[in-house]
Amino acid sequence: MAEREYDASRYAPPAEVEEMELPHARGFISKYVWSQDAKVIAIQYGLTATAIGLVALVLSLLMRLQLGFPNSLSLLDPGSYLQFMTMHGMIMVVYLLTAIFLGGFGNYLIPLMCGARDMAFPYLNMLSYWVYLVSVLILVAGFFVADGSTGAGWTLYPPQAISPGTPGIDAGIVLMLVSLAVFIVGFTMGGLNYVVTVLQARTRGLTLMRLPLTIWGIFMATVMALLAFPALFVAVLMMLMDRLVGTSFFMPEMFAAEGGTEHQGGSPLLFQHLFWFFGHPEVYIVALPAFGIVSDLIATHARKNIFGYRMMVWAIIIIGALSFVVWAHHMYVSGMSPYFGFLFATTTLIIAVPTAIKVYNWVLTLWQGNIRFTVPMLFAIGFLFTFLNGGLSGLFLGNVTVDVPLSDTYFVVGHFHMVMAVAPILVIFGAIYHWYPKITGRLLDDTLGKIHFWVTFLGTYAIFYPMHFIGLEGVPRRYYAFGETTFISDSVQALNAGITVAAFIVAFAQLLFLFNLAWSLRHGRESGPNPWQATTLEWQTPHTPPRHGNFGEELPVVYRWPYDYSVPGVKADFIPQNVPPQAVEREPDAGRGGDA
Amino acid sequence: MTVSLILIVAMMAALVGWLLRQSIAERPWVAASGPQSAPLPAGFTAPRVGLLAFLAVVTSVFALTVSAYLMRMEMGADWRSMPVPGLLWANSTALVLASLALQLAWRAAARDQARRLRQLLAAGGGFTLAFLAGQLLAWQQLEAAGYYLVANPANAFFYLLTALHGAHLLGGLMAWTRVLARLHGNADAAWLCAGVELCALYWHFLLLVWALLFGLLLTT
Ligand code: HEM
Ligand SMILES: [Cu+2]
């Protein structure tokens, strides 16, 4: 390939990379509290999400105690089981995963990987975090009000969400709905930033097709979230009106023990449509960033270019677009027309195609790679297994006839924990091990990391794999206890006890991880600027951790894609994105092979 | 959900089409000498793209509410359409005038006519406030005539849609206040022009939304 003179201005017009005016922080408060620096905001998001995520983890342990040892411990009553289950699910999906991927990794990585000084609108970005924090506090307030948090299930289906008999219908449900609305407002502020920064603030030479897949994943997830969260927003407003003023958007006429209710004619199905119009894209809002990050982890730690980069980008885009037309696969048992169900089963199964392409490409990237079994790599491989597993059970559930008997059983619980709980969490861990050195300048401890990985990976399998079998027996989800039935065999109880033990072991391993995070901050091995010999821009900053403004005096210029690993004929086994072709050192005997 | 789907598909298609143009001819693995992707057209500044993205979000909010409206109409047997108060015609006129004033203000800002800009900007805000006051009055009239919020889903949707729309205008007024404050603080002309432009575009968009909502209320 002939190398023409490189003219950076042909890639990005100067306007695109105009120097931005950064708000300068003076003093501790404006630097670390009311900070407008995306890196600080990222840490704030990350710590808040982790804190609330730990609450959700403790809730799941309490539920597991009840399920595993129903008669020996009475920590929960049936009502609080439902309350804990609801809070656990909602916190994990929205307040942990969405917040940490987009608010946490998005904020940290977008400006750095795009070669920008900061987000496009730093003030809005700061506001986004504080609004998120308020939403978390409102949510937590639910634990402390008189009747406790809502027990409606994370799907919040009316009528039961606001009807007598469900825990938390006085203040709990209101707090949940308000908190969600506030979260969405805060997210929108951040989301606009992520989108505009990717589109506008890329440095010279960084064309869209030279973006790391991490950025593609986060970008597309943000686009989806911006379009899908409004559905939840609208549903939440309408439910609040039903609950507080007595309208009948969703609430049908019902006859409670003490006579009728004030509502009339509302449609619970309408809520289900709105909820899942948000709810299904939400699955991919947490999956796409994970896809992106895992691609970069695999390429970096296998020292190979990602297989089929363009296919990977288009798969992300197609998955994002298609996930808006599959929502009704969550409503197969809502009495819809079979033709409708068939339509949605078809679209659902079509999504499996781009998803499978991604999995093949990951595997092909690993194929004959010079794999370094670092902790981030272990987590990435763990993700592949878990995601594949969850994806396969998804194929079962996507088919109407199979879903109908399995719906609302532990098969579903096992499926979605595999695919959208454990798989993304593994990526988050891998990403933290990968980028911690950039954030702190020190590596996390390797041995602790490996223990953390193996216990978490095998442990989560031990927790969620057996749930599929329990589900096949027909054991329903969202039950506090199962009592005497004809269809639940004794082995189910034994499995449940085992699952609970595994859950505690996994939870314990997370303490190791937290300890590692804190301990390595001071005592970790110094990492230097680029411990993994990675190509992307965040590893090429003049300071580690990067300072305010990220790149010192001059913004980097990009000459290549982020996957120049093991390029034939080149001395080093990686070429950073900002190394111009003239500066690449070649093997003396090799001809001018390759494109580098 | 048809309405929402069509709009979201249209927005997605616009994005995908644009990405396609950016990427179809690229060979990402080729260093430096790779073909050039089309850069963003010159007019695409960060604030404009930011506004565009925000308008997409607002479109999604209203499309979904309207979808819910149409679905709820079919789903319950209890829908009784509500007469649209005549006052809404007057309000609509006020909103058109507000939009017009801001459009002219934008032009004045571009030509650096400070006095005219000040007057027109004030007029834009004034008409908007008049619109909002008119909407409140319409609510009162409806209450007085017995069309309570809880009496019928048609009423509830009327209040919900007008409230959502009004809230978005109020948000716009916050930006407007900021521009006005800067105007009196003698900000630089380029900043002002960009600010007025964003306001004008946002107002036009909300006018369009209102026209569609009003049409919906009149015809159903
Ligand atoms: C070790 C980690 C975890 C354990 C032991 C665990 C355990 C549980 C249990 C026992 C339930 C209640 C099942 C039922 O009664 O139907 C549940 C529900 C749920 N979990 Fe987890 N979970 C874990 C992690 C996660 C994560 C990371 C997510 C993030 C997506 C998540 C999302 C959910 C959701 C959405 C529900 C459904 C709540 C509902 O039915 O309304 N879980 N989990
Ligand atoms: Cu789904």
Side-chain angles (χ1 to χ4, degrees):
Chain A
M1 189 80 29
E3 278 164 28
R4 269 170 266 150
E5 188 73 12
Y6 181 71
D7 175 9
S9 66
R10 288 167 65 196
Y11 281 86
E16 230 176 287
V17 286
E18 220 174 305
E19 270 296 330
M20 69 183 290
E21 214 179 293
L22 289 179
H24 276 286
R26 290 176 215 88
F28 181 82
I29 298 272
S30 63
K31 217 166 176 174
Y32 297 110
V33 183
W34 308 112
S35 174
Q36 301 189 29
D37 183 336
K39 296 188 292 299
V40 180
I41 297 173
I43 307 296
Q44 292 173 327
Y45 255 112
L47 291 179
T48 313
T50 309
I52 192 71
L54 285 173
V55 172
L57 181 70
V58 171
L59 294 179
S60 74
L61 293 178
L62 292 171
M63 288 189 288
R64 276 317 321 174
L65 273 180
Q66 166 60 31
L67 294 172
F69 309 100
N71 301 319
S72 43
L73 292 154
S74 46
L75 292 167
L76 301 183
D77 54 53
S80 39
Y81 182 90
L82 292 177
Q83 292 174 314
F84 287 4
M85 178 197 82
T86 307
M87 290 299 258
H88 162 79
M90 194 65 97
I91 289 175
M92 286 291 192
V93 174
V94 175
Y95 298 85
L96 170 67
L97 290 183
T98 309
I100 208 168
F101 269 126
L102 302 180
F105 289 105
N107 263 314
Y108 202 87
L109 295 176
I110 290 174
L112 277 166
M113 284 187 150
C114 289
R117 298 235 179 260
D118 207 323
M119 285 287 181
F121 315 114
Y123 185 78
L124 205 60
N125 205 22
M126 171 185 84
L127 225 52
S128 159
Y129 168 72
W130 292 101
V131 175
Y132 163 65
L133 183 63
V134 169
S135 79
V136 170
L137 293 177
I138 298 175
L139 184 82
V140 170
F143 287 118
F144 301 104
V145 292
D147 61 337
S149 56
T150 175
W154 87 284
T155 46
L156 304 175
Y157 278 5
Q160 46 89 11
I162 51 177
S163 300
T166 306
I169 57 160
D170 288 327
I173 183 74
V174 176
L175 287 170
M176 170 65 84
L177 295 173
V178 171
S179 167
L180 284 171
V182 173
F183 178 91
I184 294 168
V185 171
F187 169 77
T188 305
M189 296 175 176
L192 293 175
N193 253 305
Y194 316 150
V195 169
V196 175
T197 306
V198 172
L199 288 179
Q200 293 293 124
R202 279 170 290 127
T203 191
R204 282 189 185 205
L206 190 55
T207 58
L208 285 174
M209 285 319 236
R210 284 179 178 171
L211 283 175
L213 286 167
T214 298
I215 298 298
W216 271 111
I218 293 176
F219 174 75
M220 199 58 201
T222 309
V223 170
M224 290 171 60
L226 285 174
L227 296 178
F229 267 121
L232 183 64
F233 187 72
V234 171
V236 157
L237 286 188
M238 287 162 55
M239 178 118 76
L240 269 177
M241 284 172 76
D242 275 7
R243 163 69 184 74
L244 294 176
V245 230
T247 52
S248 305
F249 290 112
F250 304 132
M251 291 299 283
E253 192 169 8
M254 293 206 306
F255 296 95
E258 318 84 66
T261 54
E262 63 206 295
H263 302 286
Q264 218 181 357
S267 164
L269 261 188
L270 177 58
F271 179 87
Q272 296 194 13
H273 278 294
L274 287 172
F275 183 85
W276 289 114
F277 196 82
F278 144 79
H280 185 83
E282 171 64 28
V283 175
Y284 286 94
I285 290 166
V286 301
L288 292 185
F291 289 175
I293 289 172
V294 112
S295 309
D296 285 348
L297 295 188
I298 288 180
T300 306
H301 296 271
R303 320 305 296 163
K304 258 186 81 180
N305 68 16
I306 193 82
F307 188 91
Y309 173 84
R310 284 188 299 183
M311 235 192 291
M312 295 299 251
V313 170
W314 280 103
I316 286 179
I317 295 172
I318 290 168
I319 291 172
L322 279 180
S323 64
F324 278 97
V325 290
V326 299
W327 78 90
H329 64 207
H330 296 276
M331 299 163 62
Y332 286 154
V333 293
S334 68
M336 61 160 84
S337 144
Y339 297 107
F340 213 52
F342 176 75
L343 179 76
F344 280 97
T346 312
T347 51
T348 302
L349 297 182
I350 290 176
I351 289 203
V353 176
T355 312
I357 288 179
K358 294 195 79 77
V359 174
Y360 290 131
N361 284 358
W362 287 321
V363 174
L364 286 168
T365 306
L366 287 170
W367 184 256
Q368 298 202 325
N370 172 14
I371 300 178
R372 299 178 178 171
F373 286 101
T374 56
V375 179
M377 186 56 149
L378 290 176
F379 275 104
I381 296 174
F383 162 85
L384 289 187
F385 279 98
T386 312
F387 184 73
L388 186 66
N389 205 308
L392 289 176
S393 55
L395 287 180
F396 287 69
L397 294 173
N399 287 287
V400 188
T401 40
V402 186
D403 179 70
V404 168
L406 288 177
S407 159
D408 272 325
T409 67
Y410 266 85
F411 191 89
V412 175
V413 178
H415 156 71
F416 71 68
H417 275 95
M418 280 280 182
V419 81
M420 83 167 297
V422 179
I425 290 274
L426 291 178
V427 176
I428 289 174
F429 286 139
I432 292 176
Y433 283 96
H434 185 77
W435 277 294
Y436 187 88
K438 184 47 57 174
I439 299 172
T440 63
R442 289 174 190 277
L443 289 158
L444 284 167
D445 185 79
D446 211 46
T447 316
L448 283 180
K450 285 191 169 135
I451 298 174
H452 177 219
F453 167 74
W454 284 109
V455 177
T456 306
F457 176 62
L458 297 178
T460 46
Y461 254 83
I463 298 172
F464 296 111
Y465 205 70
M467 286 192 189
H468 294 85
F469 297 103
I470 299 181
L472 286 174
E473 284 214 10
V475 178
R477 74 188 266 210
R478 293 180 174 168
Y479 271 52
Y480 162 80
F482 302 103
E484 288 292 316
T485 64
T486 49
F487 61 93
I488 299 177
S489 54
D490 295 339
S491 51
V492 166
Q493 192 45 51
L495 274 180
N496 261 335
I499 291 175
T500 299
V501 172
F504 273 85
I505 295 173
V506 169
F508 180 75
Q510 309 318 308
L511 293 181
L512 275 188
F513 172 64
L514 292 179
F515 170 77
N516 198 353
L517 282 182
W519 186 82
S520 303
L521 204 55
R522 282 289 184 75
H523 308 282
R525 205 151 48 78
E526 293 220 17
S527 63
N530 191 359
W532 314 115
Q533 303 178 300
T535 55
T536 40
L537 292 176
E538 79 275 23
W539 301 105
Q540 325 303 334
T541 54
H543 306 282
T544 298
R547 298 200 180 147
H548 196 53
N550 292 348
F551 291 99
E553 290 288 300
E554 290 245 354
L555 287 176
V557 174
V558 167
Y559 299 89
R560 57 188 72 249
W561 72 338
Y563 300 105
D564 271 343
Y565 291 107
S566 313
V567 180
V570 173
K571 256 192 184 153
D573 86 330
F574 74 109
I575 317 173
Q577 283 189 278
N578 59 346
V579 170
Q582 306 85 306
V584 174
E585 262 190 83
R586 290 169 185 288
E587 300 278 4
D589 53 335
R592 307 212 63 195
D595 289 314
Chain B
M1 298 309 260
T2 331
V3 176
S4 314
L5 269 183
I6 291 175
L7 280 170
I8 284 182
V9 166
M11 290 191 286
M12 278 278 176
L15 182 74
V16 169
W18 179 75
L19 291 177
L20 199 65
R21 260 197 29 198
Q22 293 269 306
S23 54
I24 194 76
E26 288 249 354
R27 285 178 304 160
W29 53 92
V30 179
S33 56
Q36 282 70 61
S37 58
L40 285 180
F44 278 62
T45 59
R48 283 185 187 162
V49 175
L51 179 69
L52 201 67
F54 182 60
L55 294 188
V57 178
V58 180
T59 306
S60 184
V61 170
F62 281 102
L64 285 156
T65 321
V66 169
S67 283
Y69 181 99
L70 296 172
M71 283 164 85
R72 180 67 179 81
M73 239 172 104
E74 307 263 298
M75 281 172 161
D78 56 341
W79 187 279
R80 267 170 284 115
S81 295
M82 196 184 60
V84 176
L87 181 57
L88 290 195
W89 287 102
N91 294 351
S92 306
T93 317
L95 197 58
V96 172
L97 290 174
S99 213
L100 201 66
L102 288 175
Q103 175 68 26
L104 293 175
W106 177 12
R107 202 190 296 172
R111 295 184 187 160
D112 225 353
Q113 299 162 320
R115 231 175 77 87
R116 227 175 113 75
L117 169 61
R118 198 162 306 172
Q119 289 165 347
L120 284 165
L121 204 58
F127 283 124
T128 310
L129 287 171
F131 171 84
L132 289 172
Q135 297 287 80
L136 282 179
L137 204 61
W139 281 8
Q140 270 181 1
Q141 289 181 355
L142 285 169
E143 287 270 309
Y147 293 100
Y148 305 116
L149 175 66
V150 294
N152 194 267
N155 308 2
F157 267 107
F158 174 83
Y159 287 99
L160 176 65
L161 284 169
T162 45
L164 267 180
H165 181 258
H168 281 86
L169 269 179
L170 277 180
L173 279 177
M174 274 160 62
W176 171 83
T177 317
R178 203 163 151 234
V179 176
L180 208 64
R182 282 278 193 115
L183 185 61
H184 287 280
N186 287 330
D188 74 38
W191 189 95
L192 272 179
C193 188
V196 177
E197 168 196 305
L198 294 181
C199 284
L201 292 174
Y202 186 59
W203 254 259
H204 299 341
F205 175 79
L206 286 182
L207 176 64
L208 177 71
V209 170
W210 174 246
L212 294 173
L213 293 182
F214 195 30
L216 180 74
L217 294 171
L218 285 174
T219 52
T220 52

